[in-house]
Amino acid sequence: MSGIFDRLTHPQENVEDPDESLTPSEAEQDSDSFVFTSRQIKEAAQELLKHGLIEKGRKPNIYRSIISHQAQVDQILEPLDLAVRLDDIRGLAFVVVLRLQIDGSPEEDWSHPLIRRQRLSLEQSLLVAILRQQFIAHEQEAGVGAEEATVALEDLIPQVQLYLGSLGSELAEQKRIRNLLDALKGHGIVSDVDTHEQVVIRPLITHLANPENLQSLLHAFKAASRSESREHDKEPQSEGAQ
């Protein structure tokens, strides 16, 4: 009887017919019960699971595979309670968690075991709102789906200062904005800061948060900033030397 290595090294000579011991009906049933997924679809699903999103401009071949085989990709993701969503205008495919109700508990209380839940801080959420405004303005000017919505750090700093106040030094302001952008980069919202001190706002930002909630956040920050300013103006000034 041949061993496993004999069968691997001499498949034509030693491999027995895998259906030889099966009856005709069993062989037919066995051949129909398993269908190999094409490499193209596997790569598309694997890239989605690895990165969470695929942009047409960065990985056009994989993006086209998702477009052409969305049903098959969804079939792979469904047992994981995941699905793919398409924004074909902006050339974006991204993974979402299916809205399910587990054991009768509210869906808000359920966290997906494969998704790392990392909530944004208040300051990070503020920057998302500012960046979303920038992205929408870019699309209004250049058209929906226009590429490379870039923004300079020197343009973001005063907008953040408007809501969070000044830190008193340019170095501290640069550090704050870079730290915030670095955190958002991990969520696929922005690119790295380039050599021109600019970042690219990713189209995923249009799907991350409800625009009404972001506007409410900006208004709340503005109100808090005005209130703080008024309180500061009411503080008694120290008297000078008599």
Side-chain angles (χ1 to χ4, degrees), residues 53-58 63 67 86-94 132 135-140 143-149 201-208:
L53 72 156
I54 298 295
E55 294 181 29
K56 179 181 179 180
R58 297 180 175 276
Y63 179 80
I67 291 288
L86 300 176
D87 182 345
D88 54 353
I89 297 177
R90 297 181 177 91
L92 180 68
F94 55 98
R132 194 180 191 282
F135 188 85
I136 297 302
H138 170 76
E139 287 198 327
Q140 289 174 345
V144 176
E147 297 181 357
E148 300 302 302
I201 309 172
R202 301 290 189 214
L204 184 65
I205 198 169
T206 60
H207 298 279
L208 281 181

PDB file of all heavy atoms in Angstrom, residues 53-58 63 67 86-94 132 135-140 143-149 201-208:
ATOM      1  N   LEU A  53     -11.737  47.775   3.624  1.00  0.00           N
ATOM      2  CA  LEU A  53     -12.222  48.536   2.472  1.00  0.00           C
ATOM      3  C   LEU A  53     -11.258  48.392   1.311  1.00  0.00           C
ATOM      4  O   LEU A  53     -10.071  48.107   1.501  1.00  0.00           O
ATOM      5  CB  LEU A  53     -12.387  50.018   2.808  1.00  0.00           C
ATOM      6  CG  LEU A  53     -11.118  50.857   2.981  1.00  0.00           C
ATOM      7  CD1 LEU A  53     -11.404  52.320   2.733  1.00  0.00           C
ATOM      8  CD2 LEU A  53     -10.534  50.681   4.379  1.00  0.00           C
ATOM      9  N   ILE A  54     -11.775  48.582   0.114  1.00  0.00           N
ATOM     10  CA  ILE A  54     -10.977  48.573  -1.105  1.00  0.00           C
ATOM     11  C   ILE A  54     -11.362  49.805  -1.920  1.00  0.00           C
ATOM     12  O   ILE A  54     -12.547  50.048  -2.162  1.00  0.00           O
ATOM     13  CB  ILE A  54     -11.223  47.299  -1.947  1.00  0.00           C
ATOM     14  CG1 ILE A  54     -10.824  46.047  -1.163  1.00  0.00           C
ATOM     15  CG2 ILE A  54     -10.462  47.369  -3.268  1.00  0.00           C
ATOM     16  CD1 ILE A  54      -9.344  45.939  -0.855  1.00  0.00           C
ATOM     17  N   GLU A  55     -10.351  50.586  -2.322  1.00  0.00           N
ATOM     18  CA  GLU A  55     -10.597  51.746  -3.165  1.00  0.00           C
ATOM     19  C   GLU A  55     -10.212  51.424  -4.604  1.00  0.00           C
ATOM     20  O   GLU A  55      -9.142  50.851  -4.857  1.00  0.00           O
ATOM     21  CB  GLU A  55      -9.801  52.955  -2.671  1.00  0.00           C
ATOM     22  CG  GLU A  55     -10.249  53.458  -1.314  1.00  0.00           C
ATOM     23  CD  GLU A  55      -9.448  54.668  -0.864  1.00  0.00           C
ATOM     24  OE1 GLU A  55      -8.970  55.424  -1.730  1.00  0.00           O
ATOM     25  OE2 GLU A  55      -9.297  54.862   0.357  1.00  0.00           O
ATOM     26  N   LYS A  56     -11.073  51.795  -5.521  1.00  0.00           N
ATOM     27  CA  LYS A  56     -10.852  51.503  -6.931  1.00  0.00           C
ATOM     28  C   LYS A  56      -9.542  52.106  -7.430  1.00  0.00           C
ATOM     29  O   LYS A  56      -8.809  51.469  -8.193  1.00  0.00           O
ATOM     30  CB  LYS A  56     -12.023  52.048  -7.749  1.00  0.00           C
ATOM     31  CG  LYS A  56     -11.900  51.825  -9.249  1.00  0.00           C
ATOM     32  CD  LYS A  56     -13.100  52.412  -9.983  1.00  0.00           C
ATOM     33  CE  LYS A  56     -12.979  52.220 -11.486  1.00  0.00           C
ATOM     34  NZ  LYS A  56     -14.153  52.808 -12.191  1.00  0.00           N
ATOM     35  N   GLY A  57      -9.239  53.313  -6.994  1.00  0.00           N
ATOM     36  CA  GLY A  57      -8.033  53.969  -7.463  1.00  0.00           C
ATOM     37  C   GLY A  57      -6.756  53.324  -6.985  1.00  0.00           C
ATOM     38  O   GLY A  57      -5.701  53.496  -7.602  1.00  0.00           O
ATOM     39  N   ARG A  58      -6.818  52.561  -5.888  1.00  0.00           N
ATOM     40  CA  ARG A  58      -5.616  51.958  -5.320  1.00  0.00           C
ATOM     41  C   ARG A  58      -5.475  50.483  -5.687  1.00  0.00           C
ATOM     42  O   ARG A  58      -4.362  49.999  -5.863  1.00  0.00           O
ATOM     43  CB  ARG A  58      -5.617  52.128  -3.795  1.00  0.00           C
ATOM     44  CG  ARG A  58      -5.575  53.593  -3.405  1.00  0.00           C
ATOM     45  CD  ARG A  58      -5.586  53.806  -1.909  1.00  0.00           C
ATOM     46  NE  ARG A  58      -5.430  55.218  -1.650  1.00  0.00           N
ATOM     47  CZ  ARG A  58      -4.262  55.855  -1.596  1.00  0.00           C
ATOM     48  NH1 ARG A  58      -3.143  55.188  -1.763  1.00  0.00           N
ATOM     49  NH2 ARG A  58      -4.205  57.157  -1.358  1.00  0.00           N
ATOM     50  N   TYR A  63     -11.008  45.617  -6.866  1.00  0.00           N
ATOM     51  CA  TYR A  63     -12.287  46.335  -6.841  1.00  0.00           C
ATOM     52  C   TYR A  63     -13.224  45.803  -7.925  1.00  0.00           C
ATOM     53  O   TYR A  63     -14.409  45.578  -7.683  1.00  0.00           O
ATOM     54  CB  TYR A  63     -12.052  47.831  -7.017  1.00  0.00           C
ATOM     55  CG  TYR A  63     -13.329  48.646  -7.025  1.00  0.00           C
ATOM     56  CD1 TYR A  63     -13.966  48.976  -5.835  1.00  0.00           C
ATOM     57  CD2 TYR A  63     -13.901  49.066  -8.226  1.00  0.00           C
ATOM     58  CE1 TYR A  63     -15.150  49.711  -5.833  1.00  0.00           C
ATOM     59  CE2 TYR A  63     -15.074  49.800  -8.239  1.00  0.00           C
ATOM     60  CZ  TYR A  63     -15.698  50.122  -7.034  1.00  0.00           C
ATOM     61  OH  TYR A  63     -16.867  50.849  -7.051  1.00  0.00           O
ATOM     62  N   ILE A  67     -16.974  44.054  -7.620  1.00  0.00           N
ATOM     63  CA  ILE A  67     -18.126  44.526  -8.383  1.00  0.00           C
ATOM     64  C   ILE A  67     -18.760  43.381  -9.177  1.00  0.00           C
ATOM     65  O   ILE A  67     -19.982  43.209  -9.216  1.00  0.00           O
ATOM     66  CB  ILE A  67     -17.713  45.658  -9.351  1.00  0.00           C
ATOM     67  CG1 ILE A  67     -17.347  46.930  -8.577  1.00  0.00           C
ATOM     68  CG2 ILE A  67     -18.823  45.945 -10.355  1.00  0.00           C
ATOM     69  CD1 ILE A  67     -18.515  47.646  -7.974  1.00  0.00           C
ATOM     70  N   LEU A  86     -21.144  48.763  -1.491  1.00  0.00           N
ATOM     71  CA  LEU A  86     -20.478  49.425  -2.609  1.00  0.00           C
ATOM     72  C   LEU A  86     -20.914  50.880  -2.714  1.00  0.00           C
ATOM     73  O   LEU A  86     -22.086  51.202  -2.552  1.00  0.00           O
ATOM     74  CB  LEU A  86     -20.790  48.700  -3.921  1.00  0.00           C
ATOM     75  CG  LEU A  86     -20.361  47.239  -4.029  1.00  0.00           C
ATOM     76  CD1 LEU A  86     -20.841  46.651  -5.346  1.00  0.00           C
ATOM     77  CD2 LEU A  86     -18.851  47.109  -3.905  1.00  0.00           C
ATOM     78  N   ASP A  87     -19.937  51.734  -2.958  1.00  0.00           N
ATOM     79  CA  ASP A  87     -20.186  53.123  -3.330  1.00  0.00           C
ATOM     80  C   ASP A  87     -19.518  53.287  -4.685  1.00  0.00           C
ATOM     81  O   ASP A  87     -18.371  53.709  -4.785  1.00  0.00           O
ATOM     82  CB  ASP A  87     -19.587  54.075  -2.289  1.00  0.00           C
ATOM     83  CG  ASP A  87     -19.870  55.544  -2.601  1.00  0.00           C
ATOM     84  OD1 ASP A  87     -20.274  55.849  -3.740  1.00  0.00           O
ATOM     85  OD2 ASP A  87     -19.668  56.388  -1.706  1.00  0.00           O
ATOM     86  N   ASP A  88     -20.242  52.885  -5.742  1.00  0.00           N
ATOM     87  CA  ASP A  88     -19.616  52.846  -7.065  1.00  0.00           C
ATOM     88  C   ASP A  88     -19.340  54.234  -7.618  1.00  0.00           C
ATOM     89  O   ASP A  88     -18.498  54.398  -8.504  1.00  0.00           O
ATOM     90  CB  ASP A  88     -20.465  52.035  -8.046  1.00  0.00           C
ATOM     91  CG  ASP A  88     -21.906  52.532  -8.124  1.00  0.00           C
ATOM     92  OD1 ASP A  88     -22.274  53.418  -7.329  1.00  0.00           O
ATOM     93  OD2 ASP A  88     -22.651  52.029  -8.974  1.00  0.00           O
ATOM     94  N   ILE A  89     -20.016  55.255  -7.105  1.00  0.00           N
ATOM     95  CA  ILE A  89     -19.746  56.615  -7.564  1.00  0.00           C
ATOM     96  C   ILE A  89     -18.358  57.060  -7.110  1.00  0.00           C
ATOM     97  O   ILE A  89     -17.599  57.682  -7.867  1.00  0.00           O
ATOM     98  CB  ILE A  89     -20.816  57.591  -7.039  1.00  0.00           C
ATOM     99  CG1 ILE A  89     -22.186  57.224  -7.612  1.00  0.00           C
ATOM    100  CG2 ILE A  89     -20.462  59.040  -7.403  1.00  0.00           C
ATOM    101  CD1 ILE A  89     -23.315  58.082  -7.087  1.00  0.00           C
ATOM    102  N   ARG A  90     -18.014  56.721  -5.884  1.00  0.00           N
ATOM    103  CA  ARG A  90     -16.713  57.107  -5.335  1.00  0.00           C
ATOM    104  C   ARG A  90     -15.673  56.002  -5.499  1.00  0.00           C
ATOM    105  O   ARG A  90     -14.530  56.167  -5.084  1.00  0.00           O
ATOM    106  CB  ARG A  90     -16.846  57.478  -3.859  1.00  0.00           C
ATOM    107  CG  ARG A  90     -17.753  58.691  -3.611  1.00  0.00           C
ATOM    108  CD  ARG A  90     -17.827  59.036  -2.140  1.00  0.00           C
ATOM    109  NE  ARG A  90     -18.620  60.234  -1.908  1.00  0.00           N
ATOM    110  CZ  ARG A  90     -19.928  60.243  -1.669  1.00  0.00           C
ATOM    111  NH1 ARG A  90     -20.593  59.085  -1.649  1.00  0.00           N
ATOM    112  NH2 ARG A  90     -20.568  61.373  -1.474  1.00  0.00           N
ATOM    113  N   GLY A  91     -16.064  54.867  -6.061  1.00  0.00           N
ATOM    114  CA  GLY A  91     -15.128  53.770  -6.255  1.00  0.00           C
ATOM    115  C   GLY A  91     -14.669  53.155  -4.954  1.00  0.00           C
ATOM    116  O   GLY A  91     -13.472  53.015  -4.700  1.00  0.00           O
ATOM    117  N   LEU A  92     -15.629  52.762  -4.119  1.00  0.00           N
ATOM    118  CA  LEU A  92     -15.314  52.271  -2.784  1.00  0.00           C
ATOM    119  C   LEU A  92     -16.134  51.030  -2.465  1.00  0.00           C
ATOM    120  O   LEU A  92     -17.332  50.980  -2.716  1.00  0.00           O
ATOM    121  CB  LEU A  92     -15.619  53.369  -1.748  1.00  0.00           C
ATOM    122  CG  LEU A  92     -15.355  53.041  -0.278  1.00  0.00           C
ATOM    123  CD1 LEU A  92     -13.863  52.889  -0.026  1.00  0.00           C
ATOM    124  CD2 LEU A  92     -15.933  54.137   0.608  1.00  0.00           C
ATOM    125  N   ALA A  93     -15.457  50.006  -1.928  1.00  0.00           N
ATOM    126  CA  ALA A  93     -16.118  48.812  -1.403  1.00  0.00           C
ATOM    127  C   ALA A  93     -15.657  48.647   0.043  1.00  0.00           C
ATOM    128  O   ALA A  93     -14.464  48.720   0.323  1.00  0.00           O
ATOM    129  CB  ALA A  93     -15.745  47.579  -2.222  1.00  0.00           C
ATOM    130  N   PHE A  94     -16.612  48.423   0.958  1.00  0.00           N
ATOM    131  CA  PHE A  94     -16.220  48.331   2.363  1.00  0.00           C
ATOM    132  C   PHE A  94     -17.083  47.314   3.092  1.00  0.00           C
ATOM    133  O   PHE A  94     -18.207  47.014   2.687  1.00  0.00           O
ATOM    134  CB  PHE A  94     -16.309  49.702   3.052  1.00  0.00           C
ATOM    135  CG  PHE A  94     -17.653  50.375   2.943  1.00  0.00           C
ATOM    136  CD1 PHE A  94     -18.574  50.299   3.971  1.00  0.00           C
ATOM    137  CD2 PHE A  94     -17.993  51.090   1.800  1.00  0.00           C
ATOM    138  CE1 PHE A  94     -19.806  50.912   3.872  1.00  0.00           C
ATOM    139  CE2 PHE A  94     -19.222  51.720   1.690  1.00  0.00           C
ATOM    140  CZ  PHE A  94     -20.135  51.628   2.724  1.00  0.00           C
ATOM    141  N   ARG A 132     -15.012  65.978   7.141  1.00  0.00           N
ATOM    142  CA  ARG A 132     -16.161  65.655   6.294  1.00  0.00           C
ATOM    143  C   ARG A 132     -16.670  66.903   5.579  1.00  0.00           C
ATOM    144  O   ARG A 132     -17.057  66.854   4.409  1.00  0.00           O
ATOM    145  CB  ARG A 132     -17.278  65.033   7.134  1.00  0.00           C
ATOM    146  CG  ARG A 132     -18.352  64.357   6.288  1.00  0.00           C
ATOM    147  CD  ARG A 132     -19.446  63.745   7.150  1.00  0.00           C
ATOM    148  NE  ARG A 132     -20.307  62.880   6.343  1.00  0.00           N
ATOM    149  CZ  ARG A 132     -21.265  63.305   5.522  1.00  0.00           C
ATOM    150  NH1 ARG A 132     -21.470  64.608   5.385  1.00  0.00           N
ATOM    151  NH2 ARG A 132     -21.992  62.462   4.830  1.00  0.00           N
ATOM    152  N   PHE A 135     -14.357  67.430   2.738  1.00  0.00           N
ATOM    153  CA  PHE A 135     -14.554  66.464   1.659  1.00  0.00           C
ATOM    154  C   PHE A 135     -15.795  66.802   0.835  1.00  0.00           C
ATOM    155  O   PHE A 135     -15.766  66.734  -0.397  1.00  0.00           O
ATOM    156  CB  PHE A 135     -14.675  65.046   2.247  1.00  0.00           C
ATOM    157  CG  PHE A 135     -14.690  63.963   1.215  1.00  0.00           C
ATOM    158  CD1 PHE A 135     -13.508  63.440   0.719  1.00  0.00           C
ATOM    159  CD2 PHE A 135     -15.891  63.459   0.711  1.00  0.00           C
ATOM    160  CE1 PHE A 135     -13.504  62.437  -0.244  1.00  0.00           C
ATOM    161  CE2 PHE A 135     -15.898  62.470  -0.253  1.00  0.00           C
ATOM    162  CZ  PHE A 135     -14.704  61.964  -0.732  1.00  0.00           C
ATOM    163  N   ILE A 136     -16.882  67.152   1.507  1.00  0.00           N
ATOM    164  CA  ILE A 136     -18.115  67.506   0.800  1.00  0.00           C
ATOM    165  C   ILE A 136     -17.898  68.752  -0.046  1.00  0.00           C
ATOM    166  O   ILE A 136     -18.381  68.843  -1.189  1.00  0.00           O
ATOM    167  CB  ILE A 136     -19.268  67.717   1.795  1.00  0.00           C
ATOM    168  CG1 ILE A 136     -19.575  66.411   2.536  1.00  0.00           C
ATOM    169  CG2 ILE A 136     -20.506  68.228   1.076  1.00  0.00           C
ATOM    170  CD1 ILE A 136     -19.933  65.246   1.644  1.00  0.00           C
ATOM    171  N   ALA A 137     -17.166  69.736   0.495  1.00  0.00           N
ATOM    172  CA  ALA A 137     -16.869  70.954  -0.273  1.00  0.00           C
ATOM    173  C   ALA A 137     -16.053  70.620  -1.518  1.00  0.00           C
ATOM    174  O   ALA A 137     -16.275  71.177  -2.594  1.00  0.00           O
ATOM    175  CB  ALA A 137     -16.122  71.950   0.606  1.00  0.00           C
ATOM    176  N   HIS A 138     -15.113  69.678  -1.381  1.00  0.00           N
ATOM    177  CA  HIS A 138     -14.304  69.246  -2.518  1.00  0.00           C
ATOM    178  C   HIS A 138     -15.181  68.601  -3.589  1.00  0.00           C
ATOM    179  O   HIS A 138     -15.019  68.881  -4.781  1.00  0.00           O
ATOM    180  CB  HIS A 138     -13.234  68.266  -2.039  1.00  0.00           C
ATOM    181  CG  HIS A 138     -12.497  67.571  -3.141  1.00  0.00           C
ATOM    182  ND1 HIS A 138     -11.518  68.183  -3.886  1.00  0.00           N
ATOM    183  CD2 HIS A 138     -12.611  66.308  -3.637  1.00  0.00           C
ATOM    184  CE1 HIS A 138     -11.061  67.340  -4.796  1.00  0.00           C
ATOM    185  NE2 HIS A 138     -11.701  66.192  -4.660  1.00  0.00           N
ATOM    186  N   GLU A 139     -16.131  67.748  -3.167  1.00  0.00           N
ATOM    187  CA  GLU A 139     -17.009  67.087  -4.133  1.00  0.00           C
ATOM    188  C   GLU A 139     -17.975  68.075  -4.793  1.00  0.00           C
ATOM    189  O   GLU A 139     -18.320  67.916  -5.967  1.00  0.00           O
ATOM    190  CB  GLU A 139     -17.791  65.968  -3.446  1.00  0.00           C
ATOM    191  CG  GLU A 139     -16.953  64.749  -3.109  1.00  0.00           C
ATOM    192  CD  GLU A 139     -17.784  63.523  -2.840  1.00  0.00           C
ATOM    193  OE1 GLU A 139     -18.911  63.674  -2.309  1.00  0.00           O
ATOM    194  OE2 GLU A 139     -17.339  62.398  -3.152  1.00  0.00           O
ATOM    195  N   GLN A 140     -18.410  69.067  -4.046  1.00  0.00           N
ATOM    196  CA  GLN A 140     -19.295  70.070  -4.634  1.00  0.00           C
ATOM    197  C   GLN A 140     -18.581  70.883  -5.708  1.00  0.00           C
ATOM    198  O   GLN A 140     -19.193  71.297  -6.695  1.00  0.00           O
ATOM    199  CB  GLN A 140     -19.832  70.993  -3.534  1.00  0.00           C
ATOM    200  CG  GLN A 140     -20.847  70.329  -2.616  1.00  0.00           C
ATOM    201  CD  GLN A 140     -21.257  71.212  -1.457  1.00  0.00           C
ATOM    202  OE1 GLN A 140     -20.594  72.211  -1.156  1.00  0.00           O
ATOM    203  NE2 GLN A 140     -22.361  70.866  -0.803  1.00  0.00           N
ATOM    204  N   GLY A 143     -16.946  67.657  -8.214  1.00  0.00           N
ATOM    205  CA  GLY A 143     -17.846  66.586  -8.621  1.00  0.00           C
ATOM    206  C   GLY A 143     -17.742  65.377  -7.706  1.00  0.00           C
ATOM    207  O   GLY A 143     -16.645  65.062  -7.215  1.00  0.00           O
ATOM    208  N   VAL A 144     -18.878  64.716  -7.475  1.00  0.00           N
ATOM    209  CA  VAL A 144     -18.883  63.515  -6.629  1.00  0.00           C
ATOM    210  C   VAL A 144     -18.042  62.432  -7.288  1.00  0.00           C
ATOM    211  O   VAL A 144     -18.178  62.164  -8.479  1.00  0.00           O
ATOM    212  CB  VAL A 144     -20.317  63.010  -6.413  1.00  0.00           C
ATOM    213  CG1 VAL A 144     -20.319  61.710  -5.609  1.00  0.00           C
ATOM    214  CG2 VAL A 144     -21.155  64.062  -5.722  1.00  0.00           C
ATOM    215  N   GLY A 145     -17.149  61.833  -6.494  1.00  0.00           N
ATOM    216  CA  GLY A 145     -16.257  60.809  -7.028  1.00  0.00           C
ATOM    217  C   GLY A 145     -14.921  61.359  -7.464  1.00  0.00           C
ATOM    218  O   GLY A 145     -14.049  60.594  -7.884  1.00  0.00           O
ATOM    219  N   ALA A 146     -14.742  62.701  -7.378  1.00  0.00           N
ATOM    220  CA  ALA A 146     -13.450  63.294  -7.744  1.00  0.00           C
ATOM    221  C   ALA A 146     -12.365  62.790  -6.795  1.00  0.00           C
ATOM    222  O   ALA A 146     -12.595  62.607  -5.598  1.00  0.00           O
ATOM    223  CB  ALA A 146     -13.537  64.815  -7.691  1.00  0.00           C
ATOM    224  N   GLU A 147     -11.198  62.556  -7.344  1.00  0.00           N
ATOM    225  CA  GLU A 147     -10.113  61.964  -6.562  1.00  0.00           C
ATOM    226  C   GLU A 147      -9.326  63.030  -5.802  1.00  0.00           C
ATOM    227  O   GLU A 147      -9.412  64.223  -6.090  1.00  0.00           O
ATOM    228  CB  GLU A 147      -9.168  61.185  -7.479  1.00  0.00           C
ATOM    229  CG  GLU A 147      -9.836  59.996  -8.168  1.00  0.00           C
ATOM    230  CD  GLU A 147      -8.871  59.243  -9.051  1.00  0.00           C
ATOM    231  OE1 GLU A 147      -7.710  59.687  -9.167  1.00  0.00           O
ATOM    232  OE2 GLU A 147      -9.276  58.220  -9.616  1.00  0.00           O
ATOM    233  N   GLU A 148      -8.554  62.532  -4.832  1.00  0.00           N
ATOM    234  CA  GLU A 148      -7.574  63.318  -4.098  1.00  0.00           C
ATOM    235  C   GLU A 148      -8.148  64.588  -3.466  1.00  0.00           C
ATOM    236  O   GLU A 148      -7.859  65.711  -3.860  1.00  0.00           O
ATOM    237  CB  GLU A 148      -6.394  63.686  -5.005  1.00  0.00           C
ATOM    238  CG  GLU A 148      -5.654  62.483  -5.580  1.00  0.00           C
ATOM    239  CD  GLU A 148      -5.112  61.554  -4.506  1.00  0.00           C
ATOM    240  OE1 GLU A 148      -4.320  62.008  -3.663  1.00  0.00           O
ATOM    241  OE2 GLU A 148      -5.507  60.371  -4.505  1.00  0.00           O
ATOM    242  N   ALA A 149      -8.986  64.386  -2.463  1.00  0.00           N
ATOM    243  CA  ALA A 149      -9.450  65.516  -1.650  1.00  0.00           C
ATOM    244  C   ALA A 149      -8.391  65.771  -0.586  1.00  0.00           C
ATOM    245  O   ALA A 149      -8.367  65.145   0.467  1.00  0.00           O
ATOM    246  CB  ALA A 149     -10.794  65.188  -1.006  1.00  0.00           C
ATOM    247  N   ILE A 201      -8.086  63.037   2.236  1.00  0.00           N
ATOM    248  CA  ILE A 201      -9.289  62.575   2.940  1.00  0.00           C
ATOM    249  C   ILE A 201      -9.899  61.437   2.133  1.00  0.00           C
ATOM    250  O   ILE A 201     -10.230  61.599   0.963  1.00  0.00           O
ATOM    251  CB  ILE A 201     -10.308  63.715   3.102  1.00  0.00           C
ATOM    252  CG1 ILE A 201      -9.644  64.956   3.704  1.00  0.00           C
ATOM    253  CG2 ILE A 201     -11.472  63.262   3.993  1.00  0.00           C
ATOM    254  CD1 ILE A 201     -10.540  66.182   3.716  1.00  0.00           C
ATOM    255  N   ARG A 202     -10.048  60.276   2.756  1.00  0.00           N
ATOM    256  CA  ARG A 202     -10.556  59.101   2.070  1.00  0.00           C
ATOM    257  C   ARG A 202     -12.085  59.169   1.919  1.00  0.00           C
ATOM    258  O   ARG A 202     -12.776  59.684   2.802  1.00  0.00           O
ATOM    259  CB  ARG A 202     -10.197  57.826   2.838  1.00  0.00           C
ATOM    260  CG  ARG A 202      -8.706  57.628   3.043  1.00  0.00           C
ATOM    261  CD  ARG A 202      -8.045  57.305   1.745  1.00  0.00           C
ATOM    262  NE  ARG A 202      -6.660  56.898   1.945  1.00  0.00           N
ATOM    263  CZ  ARG A 202      -5.696  57.160   1.094  1.00  0.00           C
ATOM    264  NH1 ARG A 202      -5.960  57.825  -0.013  1.00  0.00           N
ATOM    265  NH2 ARG A 202      -4.474  56.748   1.322  1.00  0.00           N
ATOM    266  N   PRO A 203     -12.624  58.632   0.831  1.00  0.00           N
ATOM    267  CA  PRO A 203     -14.078  58.678   0.611  1.00  0.00           C
ATOM    268  C   PRO A 203     -14.885  57.921   1.655  1.00  0.00           C
ATOM    269  O   PRO A 203     -16.089  58.153   1.794  1.00  0.00           O
ATOM    270  CB  PRO A 203     -14.245  58.066  -0.785  1.00  0.00           C
ATOM    271  CG  PRO A 203     -12.997  57.292  -1.037  1.00  0.00           C
ATOM    272  CD  PRO A 203     -11.918  58.030  -0.308  1.00  0.00           C
ATOM    273  N   LEU A 204     -14.245  57.041   2.421  1.00  0.00           N
ATOM    274  CA  LEU A 204     -14.955  56.305   3.467  1.00  0.00           C
ATOM    275  C   LEU A 204     -15.594  57.254   4.477  1.00  0.00           C
ATOM    276  O   LEU A 204     -16.571  56.894   5.145  1.00  0.00           O
ATOM    277  CB  LEU A 204     -13.996  55.350   4.181  1.00  0.00           C
ATOM    278  CG  LEU A 204     -14.601  54.436   5.251  1.00  0.00           C
ATOM    279  CD1 LEU A 204     -15.578  53.453   4.624  1.00  0.00           C
ATOM    280  CD2 LEU A 204     -13.518  53.699   6.012  1.00  0.00           C
ATOM    281  N   ILE A 205     -15.071  58.459   4.587  1.00  0.00           N
ATOM    282  CA  ILE A 205     -15.575  59.410   5.583  1.00  0.00           C
ATOM    283  C   ILE A 205     -17.057  59.710   5.372  1.00  0.00           C
ATOM    284  O   ILE A 205     -17.771  60.030   6.321  1.00  0.00           O
ATOM    285  CB  ILE A 205     -14.746  60.715   5.554  1.00  0.00           C
ATOM    286  CG1 ILE A 205     -14.958  61.505   6.849  1.00  0.00           C
ATOM    287  CG2 ILE A 205     -15.068  61.564   4.326  1.00  0.00           C
ATOM    288  CD1 ILE A 205     -13.990  62.652   7.028  1.00  0.00           C
ATOM    289  N   THR A 206     -17.546  59.579   4.143  1.00  0.00           N
ATOM    290  CA  THR A 206     -18.962  59.860   3.874  1.00  0.00           C
ATOM    291  C   THR A 206     -19.881  58.781   4.432  1.00  0.00           C
ATOM    292  O   THR A 206     -21.096  58.974   4.506  1.00  0.00           O
ATOM    293  CB  THR A 206     -19.219  59.999   2.364  1.00  0.00           C
ATOM    294  OG1 THR A 206     -18.857  58.788   1.710  1.00  0.00           O
ATOM    295  CG2 THR A 206     -18.423  61.147   1.777  1.00  0.00           C
ATOM    296  N   HIS A 207     -19.322  57.632   4.830  1.00  0.00           N
ATOM    297  CA  HIS A 207     -20.141  56.523   5.320  1.00  0.00           C
ATOM    298  C   HIS A 207     -19.940  56.253   6.810  1.00  0.00           C
ATOM    299  O   HIS A 207     -20.537  55.323   7.344  1.00  0.00           O
ATOM    300  CB  HIS A 207     -19.802  55.245   4.544  1.00  0.00           C
ATOM    301  CG  HIS A 207     -20.077  55.343   3.081  1.00  0.00           C
ATOM    302  ND1 HIS A 207     -21.340  55.165   2.534  1.00  0.00           N
ATOM    303  CD2 HIS A 207     -19.260  55.642   2.031  1.00  0.00           C
ATOM    304  CE1 HIS A 207     -21.277  55.331   1.218  1.00  0.00           C
ATOM    305  NE2 HIS A 207     -20.036  55.613   0.892  1.00  0.00           N
ATOM    306  N   LEU A 208     -19.106  57.048   7.454  1.00  0.00           N
ATOM    307  CA  LEU A 208     -18.732  56.731   8.831  1.00  0.00           C
ATOM    308  C   LEU A 208     -19.719  57.245   9.868  1.00  0.00           C
ATOM    309  O   LEU A 208     -19.900  56.641  10.904  1.00  0.00           O
ATOM    310  CB  LEU A 208     -17.342  57.290   9.155  1.00  0.00           C
ATOM    311  CG  LEU A 208     -16.177  56.460   8.636  1.00  0.00           C
ATOM    312  CD1 LEU A 208     -14.869  57.096   9.039  1.00  0.00           C
ATOM    313  CD2 LEU A 208     -16.239  55.039   9.168  1.00  0.00           C
TER     314      LEU A 208
END
